[in-house]
Amino acid sequence: MYHHIKKLMYTVKVDSPDPRFGNMLLEQFGGANGELAAAMQYSIQGLNCEDPQRKDLLMDIGTEELSHLEVVGTLARMHLKPMKQQQNGAEVDPLIAIAGGGGVSLFNSMGDAWTADYLKITGELDVDLRSNIAAEARAKIVYERLINQCDDPGSKDALQFLMTREITHMKAFTLALESLGKNQFSIGKIEPTPGLVDEYFNDSTGEGDEGEKDATGPWNSGGHWKIVETRELQQGVENLESSGGRKRGKEQEKLRKTA
Amino acid sequence: MYHHIKKLMYTVKVDSPDPRFGNMLLEQFGGANGELAAAMQYSIQGLNCEDPQRKDLLMDIGTEELSHLEVVGTLARMHLKPMKQQQNGAEVDPLIAIAGGGGVSLFNSMGDAWTADYLKITGELDVDLRSNIAAEARAKIVYERLINQCDDPGSKDALQFLMTREITHMKAFTLALESLGKNQFSIGKIEPTPGLVDEYFNDSTGEGDEGEKDATGPWNSGGHWKIVETRELQQGVENLESSGGRKRGKEQEKLRKTA
Amino acid sequence: MYHHIKKLMYTVKVDSPDPRFGNMLLEQFGGANGELAAAMQYSIQGLNCEDPQRKDLLMDIGTEELSHLEVVGTLARMHLKPMKQQQNGAEVDPLIAIAGGGGVSLFNSMGDAWTADYLKITGELDVDLRSNIAAEARAKIVYERLINQCDDPGSKDALQFLMTREITHMKAFTLALESLGKNQFSIGKIEPTPGLVDEYFNDSTGEGDEGEKDATGPWNSGGHWKIVETRELQQGVENLESSGGRKRGKEQEKLRKTA
Amino acid sequence: MYHHIKKLMYTVKVDSPDPRFGNMLLEQFGGANGELAAAMQYSIQGLNCEDPQRKDLLMDIGTEELSHLEVVGTLARMHLKPMKQQQNGAEVDPLIAIAGGGGVSLFNSMGDAWTADYLKITGELDVDLRSNIAAEARAKIVYERLINQCDDPGSKDALQFLMTREITHMKAFTLALESLGKNQFSIGKIEPTPGLVDEYFNDSTGEGDEGEKDATGPWNSGGHWKIVETRELQQGVENLESSGGRKRGKEQEKLRKTA
Amino acid sequence: MYHHIKKLMYTVKVDSPDPRFGNMLLEQFGGANGELAAAMQYSIQGLNCEDPQRKDLLMDIGTEELSHLEVVGTLARMHLKPMKQQQNGAEVDPLIAIAGGGGVSLFNSMGDAWTADYLKITGELDVDLRSNIAAEARAKIVYERLINQCDDPGSKDALQFLMTREITHMKAFTLALESLGKNQFSIGKIEPTPGLVDEYFNDSTGEGDEGEKDATGPWNSGGHWKIVETRELQQGVENLESSGGRKRGKEQEKLRKTA
Amino acid sequence: MYHHIKKLMYTVKVDSPDPRFGNMLLEQFGGANGELAAAMQYSIQGLNCEDPQRKDLLMDIGTEELSHLEVVGTLARMHLKPMKQQQNGAEVDPLIAIAGGGGVSLFNSMGDAWTADYLKITGELDVDLRSNIAAEARAKIVYERLINQCDDPGSKDALQFLMTREITHMKAFTLALESLGKNQFSIGKIEPTPGLVDEYFNDSTGEGDEGEKDATGPWNSGGHWKIVETRELQQGVENLESSGGRKRGKEQEKLRKTA
């Protein structure tokens, strides 16, 4: 059950309303990485969750994001309100000015309606937590960019509050994931095919227009990594085909570096 | 520049075509966590990337996902092809049977057209890598569920191949992120507000219908965590308001546990 | 600020889970007239509202709808949960079964992602209240149809609770509109053109395949109504054109009945 | 069967084309409350309608809205046509200028493609009429705002014509609804639960940042209204739970005011 | 201006209603190649068209498609009407049965809302005519598939009528394009680069799983065609780069066959 | 299987980055007629194609369009990159500037996410080829308009390259269609109804505001064409109805001209 308290989680003050900035703020109201997306992603994961501990976590943060939605919506509205009266306001965002009367609605900064396609919900707790960690990282960087575009001190304060909370949530989700005690690369129950799982396919080759070359790093060399070249991969498949096999064989792998 | 080789990355064999299963497979062809989503997310991140090492990684895996798209599409088509002729096929998925002639198209298992709203691209490399790790975890679990729904050995083999590769990619993205050497919770350049960043807001309270209670875990207790109760939070805001302050104050925090 | 209480607004009990019915229930979770649509429409209207009395009404009901979202989601999940394990579950809704692990997500009964295009928010209070009255009427009829499709007593009880509340809200919005004291047909500030406003254009004519004919009723006869025939309308426009006028003239109106 | 007459329902004249205003006009061409939405909503309701009298009404107005679509499209095109040639035109709306050659297409003022998600069609006549009354009110206010943004006399004339007709339609739908002779709050056939239907849940409480308090009005006091406080509601549910009941009980209601 | 005649363009008779087939029919009501798509594409092209002759053609056919929309909608409704009462109806399409009361709405066979993204409108007459020819070919094949899925004689008759008209329109658009007297491959005003325009890039190479090989045909051999191999293309670009040139050179072309 | 070569198909050079133009360029990156749409349409048609010759053609061109996607994305990014830093950049396109960090993503020039609803795939080879011819014509004209909006020589060069290739593809698809040897107006297997197929319905009549009249041309006169007037069509249907017939009869046709 939800309860609304007639008080913003962070009081908002705007000294100089700027419809252009208000329009940008909508990215965090009805945008892909905005507060409704966060609120819905966590709350619905929580509704589906069967781990009572982490269900509480999901509901706590899901609810906090609803309060953030209210803060960022109020902030955007303060910047957008003049749009109804002024012609230059209507130029900035006719959808808000003409159809919305200068009020906010669930659109992003380009006037795209919010869609649940933004959400990542799988019903697999550790997978959902990974999606949430990434979501918080995205929300943080978007708030940072908004702060960099903003001159109004009151708006900056509110955005700093909201941005900070994303890091809080990112920490909480990370610790909740780690405390599940699962192997970092173990997802679900079916094991990946040994050998194949350590092959790195070098599918982009040659030298780029700005001198880019094939790179190596911990993601494809050292440890168990084996780099497989596209041509060899193709050749290997052909060999296998002609000998009646259906699976990719060991002979098609080519070790390049294992440093 | 791209080059296509007339050979599947994994040869597909279907013994008993099953339109219902073919329809489910579309989830990984044109669905939210499917192969086109992966291919586009990584390739476009790669196009935007200014770190030549990880740009190569993004292009390698983005290209591999295009090859996966071809594999899963071929597999789905083998299961769906009978749809054009048979009436029960048309019942399973009229969109594929009637409008598509039994061929695949960029829809998910419910006939929703693929949309770029599925993608998570921010232009901030470490953030994008986190989105990719989560994306691979989601793709893995979806493949696992498809394998569990499938009776056809040839289809299972191909799905096992594809599922394995998602773990490979998840590893690679994780190692690429770690090798950036950034603090785990440091996103962008603006620092979160100290103190506030360690507050855990207890926004969901009471006892649930099935006995759920407030939970504690590493995500809200121990370390620097301070649990802030909603009521106190509200009260604190009210106090601050009446004393003219605009920011949330220290006095509104209530330490519950710090183990 | 929002607060979540770990207790459903209406306790849900399901005796015999039915994935097909669970799938239908999603229409009120993530569908066009469902609970998220109601919650967002009223809450955002409330955020934009400058009439403190009715702002409170909008926030009260908007918040209640969030609690309904939780109830209907829990109910749907109870019916859908078996989907993950059973193959016939996956046939009912592969999106929920395969991609969602049997949990709910913000889709309607056909697997379409929820979109803010469902919302009607104009920032003009009396107009918004009219949209809300219609929205509640729609939600009521959808719940009634769900009850008619349902055999499970526990599910029927919960749906009866939710259906009743829609009538409550419909009443409240109606009384809030009436208490504004505005003329029923006075919207905004610019007056409609006298005369023209009372013309009823008879744009569909002839006799239908099942004997339909032009009908008269209080909506086009009696009072100030004048029925204008398409042919005359066209003729009138032509006459006006040839005489240099730009506006529609009085002579093109033809009184048919004024009972 | 439809017939097109090569004559606009209202002749359009534009003295000074203004691409920015043309772009705003698209809101009524391909926008959520625009003319295609109206035409399709009423015509398809008419196609489904089994009341021959009101079916005629729906077809009459549905057809008139198609004629309005043509008028507003022609008006928008006159303002947008210069976009193809001029660079500043392309800045206003590259979608129209670059992809559309300066012609109109079914987009709103922000370039979002028209979607049938805008429509409200339930197949329940009195419910559909309520949706139409609200739709006309929205369309009226959008035309009023467009008039307020417009300096061109010819455009203002055409918009005044279109705006007036929305009031005409609003009247007609209202009278058609009233003449059905149904109780104002009786929707469908299943009765709401007595008692519960008169409870007003006070779900938003406290005092707001700008002094907002709980409000009372005809929508929650007087008549049969009983105000139920969230806390009591929660408490009541808890009590019921512990005593084995499943339904909300009378004791959880708290009368606050009944003026 | 539009006028509606209360008579279907083709009288519809259904002997045995079949909700499953009714659901398939929606593909031509609210689907990507359906009648609304056709009506809107041609009518809006007509609204934008400055060639009075072909503008008339576009309006004639655009209007006819509106009449088709009514025919196919009526036919679908006859098949879908039982859905409201019967549970198996609701299984076929809950969106129509539960939310729509068994009436049609602007959805395709999978319940996706119609979107203007289906339309192809460029404001360049000859280009638009090409889009229309293709659109008619698609609509024809979809009607043919529906006929093949249908057992009801009355429905087959109506579909044969509708299917025939698509061929009529395809002819008309083709003749309208040819009578413009433009060179078949001349689009717009800027000439393609000579030489480059006759190069065929062989971007898919090798031998496929089912023995597919590089193919030649009139589309890449004979006439002025030159086949350019990817590897050579790449090599050529590299050579050019190292010699400071920015454009692709003649030396990178390799003639393979010109039969 | 796909392979990526770290070299653009056409090297891109931008002298003066212009975020406004970069924004327009997105129309060909993630827009309705852009490179991803082309790549996916042809590649998936190819995946479904059972004619090995033309399957190769579809894969060749589908792959080339992927390479074009990379070129146009790189070009757009060069123009958009400054957006992250500059406030005027954020005004041009906040979605790219704020959410995307100045990088490209799969949006069109108005910030709409790419959707598979843009694609035309039927699984009927000759129909698909017609869709492709039209798609190439549209892509050509969009590139031409971009060239006309562009001052930067390097950008113009790259756009000329891309524009030229569209004509190449249009030729190839046309020749592939012609070489199928099918009758130009024969689609699928079911024959259209003789007689009816040659009737041209004159559904738009009268004289327009700018003097438009009914037009004749090769699309409705000469050959086998018979022009049928709407009124007569209606009358004929009525006559047939009263005489029990269900099909449209010969007597309802009215020959107007056959030149």
Side-chain angles (χ1 to χ4, degrees), chain C residues 15-259:
Chain C
D15 294 305
S16 43
D18 175 359
R20 285 178 204 277
F21 185 67
N23 196 50
M24 292 177 205
L25 276 171
L26 292 179
E27 195 61 38
Q28 288 300 79
F29 188 70
N33 300 309
E35 298 294 353
L36 182 64
M40 286 300 120
Q41 181 160 310
Y42 311 151
S43 301
I44 296 175
Q45 287 174 357
L47 196 154
N48 289 329
C49 184
E50 294 176 353
D51 170 334
Q53 307 288 311
R54 287 162 193 82
K55 181 189 187 84
D56 185 35
L57 166 70
L58 290 163
M59 295 312 295
D60 278 336
I61 302 187
T63 305
E64 184 180 343
E65 304 287 18
L66 275 179
S67 299
H68 290 189
L69 182 72
E70 196 185 16
V71 173
V72 78
T74 303
L75 190 60
R77 173 157 162 72
M78 286 176 173
H79 283 285
L80 289 168
K81 207 176 146 187
M83 293 186 94
K84 197 167 154 187
Q85 280 77 36
Q86 300 165 4
Q87 284 210 338
N88 78 324
E91 286 172 15
V92 173
D93 187 337
L95 181 56
I96 294 292
I98 304 293
V104 296
S105 198
L106 280 174
F107 299 101
N108 73 358
S109 60
M110 292 301 281
D112 303 317
W114 191 89
T115 161
D117 286 324
Y118 296 149
L119 306 182
K120 302 295 179 188
I121 298 171
T122 66
E124 191 84 2
L125 182 56
D126 63 311
V127 174
D128 283 354
L129 289 170
R130 280 175 178 86
S131 294
N132 299 357
I133 293 165
E136 294 291 347
R138 291 192 300 267
K140 198 278 179 186
I141 201 72
V142 176
Y143 276 124
E144 176 165 327
R145 288 172 183 161
L146 284 168
I147 290 171
N148 288 337
Q149 293 280 343
C150 179
D151 294 324
D152 180 65
S155 303
K156 276 175 121 82
D157 278 359
L159 294 170
Q160 173 75 25
F161 171 82
L162 294 165
M163 187 193 77
T164 295
R165 297 305 301 162
E166 310 299 21
I167 295 294
T168 306
H169 301 165
M170 196 185 164
K171 275 190 187 175
F173 287 132
T174 302
L175 293 164
L177 174 61
E178 289 174 355
S179 65
L180 283 173
K182 291 192 65 170
N183 179 303
Q184 191 179 11
F185 300 123
S186 171
I187 305 290
K189 293 182 183 159
I190 306 181
E191 291 293 320
T193 306
L196 176 64
V197 77
D198 295 321
E199 292 180 8
Y200 181 92
F201 294 177
N202 185 26
D203 279 338
S204 172
T205 62
E207 189 175 325
D209 291 327
E210 298 174 26
E212 299 94 335
K213 296 183 196 172
D214 277 354
T216 51
W219 56 85
N220 64 2
S221 66
H224 299 90
W225 285 119
K226 296 178 200 171
I227 296 182
V228 177
E229 298 296 329
T230 299
R231 199 171 315 278
E232 280 70 32
L233 180 66
Q234 177 185 9
Q235 198 62 43
V237 173
E238 279 166 8
N239 290 343
L240 272 172
E241 288 306 306
S242 61
S243 65
R246 199 164 77 237
K247 291 185 198 166
R248 296 178 55 261
K250 209 177 177 181
E251 59 277 34
Q252 80 199 59
E253 293 154 10
K254 184 187 158 197
L255 207 67
R256 204 170 58 174
K257 288 192 200 177
T258 54

Side-chain angles (χ1 to χ4, degrees), chain B residues 1-7 44 48 50 56 63 67 70 77 81 100 103-104 106 113-117 122, chain F residues 1-7 44 48 50 56 63 67 70 77 81 100 103-104 106 113-117 122:
Chain B
M1 203 184 325
Y2 289 86
H3 175 212
H4 178 258
I5 301 154
K6 288 186 215 311
K7 190 68 87 183
I44 296 176
N48 290 328
E50 294 176 353
D56 184 35
T63 305
S67 299
E70 196 184 15
R77 173 158 162 71
K81 206 176 147 187
V104 296
L106 280 174
W114 191 89
T115 160
D117 286 325
T122 66
Chain F
M1 204 182 325
Y2 289 85
H3 176 213
H4 178 260
I5 301 153
K6 288 187 216 308
K7 189 69 85 182
I44 296 176
N48 290 328
E50 294 176 353
D56 185 36
T63 305
S67 299
E70 196 185 17
R77 175 159 162 69
K81 207 175 146 187
V104 294
L106 280 174
W114 191 89
T115 161
D117 286 324
T122 67

Side-chain angles (χ1 to χ4, degrees), chain A residues 30-32 37 41 108 112-120 138, chain B residues 117 120:
Chain A
Q41 181 160 309
N108 72 359
D112 304 316
W114 191 90
T115 162
D117 286 325
Y118 296 147
L119 306 182
K120 302 295 178 189
R138 291 192 299 268
Chain B
D117 286 325
K120 302 295 179 188

Side-chain angles (χ1 to χ4, degrees), chain E residues 21-38:
Chain E
F21 185 66
N23 196 51
M24 291 176 205
L25 276 171
L26 292 178
E27 196 61 37
Q28 289 300 79
F29 188 70
N33 300 309
E35 298 293 354
L36 182 64

